[in-house]
Amino acid sequence: MENIRHVINITDLSVDEINELIEMAKDIIAHPEEYRELCRYKKLATLFFEPSTRTRLSFEAAMLELGGSVLGFSSADSSSAAKGESVSDTIQTVGCYADIIAMRHPKEGAPIAAKQRSTIPIINAGDGGHFHPTQTLTDLLTISREKGRLSDMTIGFCGDLQFGRTVHSLIDAMLRYDNIKFVLISPEELKVPEYVRDHLIEKGVEWKEVYTMEEVMPELDILYMTRVQRERFFNEEDYVRLKDTYILDMEKLKTAKEDLSILHPLPRVNEISVAVDSDPRACYFRQVLNGKYIRMALILRLLGIR
Ligand code: CP
């Protein structure tokens, strides 16, 4: 089990490996026919103990487009977890049926427990408020395609930076590229956790925390919007008070750069006005499509096919 490759956090991949995955995803986009049969007779298990639309379906679409098959479940209720089975036993069982696992779980660290007993590669498809490395790969591919680079830019993260696992993973990833400035836009209660702040300080990068998006809009090359994560709040009152703190609309974009790229991992609730969707700077549905291509590249890589 020692030499099986798992991806639990984005830092499980070196910068060179990330860059190779991005290049492979671009090659898949350019030459899809060359990839259609590469996973023939291979099976992907999607084990989703927590709801998902994009991550689960893009993993499944990725495997199907590579000529492989998919099996799995989309909620804990429809698996033997509902009868009390441990994650470790579930993983050992699925290892008898599949070649690779994409797993989402509401508990932080669950994929770390899972990988200890796994005989096949595990990809973390999101664990609680912790990490979401394949969303980060999706975000990096999107930034690379939109901007033509992954260095020399100012990126603003806006919204729920406390519970937004996509934010934590993307900050960790962008810290490894040159000359990135970070602007963290959130209310006091939803600031990034202490460990994320420590990473920013350790790396010695330029970063700041602000409350309004208006005060920093002209500086930004990327605006990464997030929803307030209702499912991670301890009480509904706090959620209701904070949920509409930020709503990006055309008025707020008036001072933005013409080549700003607006990203959002989705799902969106209310934080981006639908009117923004038709602005060319809105990248979030292109980002969704990129998620399929980068997951195709990752599956190929972890199965040792490319
Ligand atoms: N971005 C993302 O993780 O979306 P889903 O929750 O729909 O998978």
Side-chain angles (χ1 to χ4, degrees):
M1 281 190 251
E2 290 281 303
N3 52 8
I4 297 167
R5 194 75 197 275
H6 308 285
V7 175
I8 307 303
N9 188 6
I10 193 67
T11 49
D12 291 332
L13 296 165
S14 68
V15 174
D16 283 347
E17 286 175 314
I18 290 172
N19 293 340
E20 281 167 22
L21 287 171
I22 289 171
E23 289 316 308
M24 199 198 302
K26 289 179 183 173
D27 193 57
I28 294 170
I29 293 165
H31 308 288
E33 67 288 348
E34 289 178 18
Y35 292 82
R36 270 188 202 129
E37 296 290 324
L38 293 185
C39 281
R40 212 161 170 209
Y41 306 121
K42 296 288 184 193
K43 283 174 274 178
L44 165 76
T46 50
L47 311 185
F48 277 62
F49 297 85
E50 196 184 61
S52 165
T53 296
R54 274 146 296 272
T55 311
R56 187 171 66 84
L57 296 182
S58 65
F59 263 116
E60 295 187 358
M63 193 49 150
L64 293 173
E65 287 199 21
L66 291 167
S69 310
V70 296
L71 65 161
F73 52 82
S74 57
S75 74
D77 288 350
S78 62
S79 78
S80 285
K83 300 177 208 159
E85 185 168 62
S86 69
V87 168
S88 175
D89 285 359
T90 302
I91 293 294
Q92 287 183 78
T93 302
V94 175
C96 301
Y97 310 140
D99 300 289
I100 185 166
I101 291 173
M103 169 183 151
R104 172 172 288 187
H105 201 284
K107 286 211 175 109
E108 285 90 355
I112 296 173
K115 78 172 185 178
Q116 316 293 342
R117 306 304 297 270
S118 185
T119 53
I120 60 176
I122 294 188
I123 304 170
N124 178 12
D127 61 324
H130 216 189
F131 301 124
H132 194 347
T134 61
Q135 180 64 47
T136 304
L137 291 172
T138 301
D139 301 339
L140 293 173
L141 174 59
T142 304
I143 294 169
S144 173
R145 291 188 76 197
E146 297 290 332
K147 293 279 178 234
R149 64 185 194 279
L150 284 167
S151 57
D152 305 304
M153 62 183 85
T154 300
I155 177 164
F157 292 90
C158 179
D160 184 350
L161 311 189
Q162 171 75 35
F163 298 114
R165 58 194 173 196
T166 64
V167 170
H168 308 157
S169 286
L170 186 55
I171 290 176
D172 271 347
M174 294 301 277
L175 276 171
R176 300 199 282 174
Y177 290 90
D178 291 335
N179 192 27
I180 305 291
K181 295 178 186 137
F182 297 84
V183 181
L184 309 180
I185 310 158
S186 73
E188 190 62 34
E189 295 98 318
L190 297 179
K191 282 182 171 179
V192 291
E194 205 59 39
Y195 73 89
V196 174
R197 193 171 312 208
D198 289 346
H199 292 175
L200 290 159
I201 294 166
E202 276 162 27
K203 285 280 181 177
V205 295
E206 204 176 304
W207 69 286
K208 63 181 172 186
E209 291 178 312
V210 298
Y211 178 55
T212 68
M213 67 169 96
E214 288 89 331
E215 67 195 275
V216 290
M217 191 65 89
E219 301 169 31
L220 304 180
D221 299 298
I222 307 275
L223 174 57
Y224 193 94
M225 294 295 296
T226 61
R227 89 189 149 93
V228 175
Q229 307 245 325
R230 180 181 205 158
E231 65 276 29
R232 317 238 181 264
F233 272 75
F234 293 114
N235 69 69
E236 182 72 7
E237 261 172 47
D238 285 346
Y239 169 73
V240 170
R241 182 169 52 81
L242 293 166
K243 71 182 173 69
D244 290 330
T245 310
Y246 303 106
I247 300 177
L248 180 65
D249 55 21
M250 292 309 293
E251 184 61 31
K252 293 198 182 83
L253 281 173
K254 275 188 178 156
T255 60
K257 289 184 180 174
E258 276 183 23
D259 66 345
L260 172 74
S261 296
I262 305 163
L263 275 68
H264 191 313
L266 305 180
R268 153 177 63 184
V269 181
N270 211 21
E271 58 281 354
I272 302 181
S273 154
V274 174
V276 175
D277 295 2
S278 47
D279 189 295
R281 292 170 290 189
C283 303
Y284 29 92
F285 288 107
R286 298 195 287 277
Q287 194 180 353
V288 169
L289 184 58
N290 287 331
K292 180 183 70 175
Y293 296 121
I294 199 76
R295 289 178 175 107
M296 288 171 79
L298 183 63
I299 289 168
L300 289 170
R301 174 86 196 202
L302 292 183
L303 289 178
I305 293 169
R306 279 283 169 99

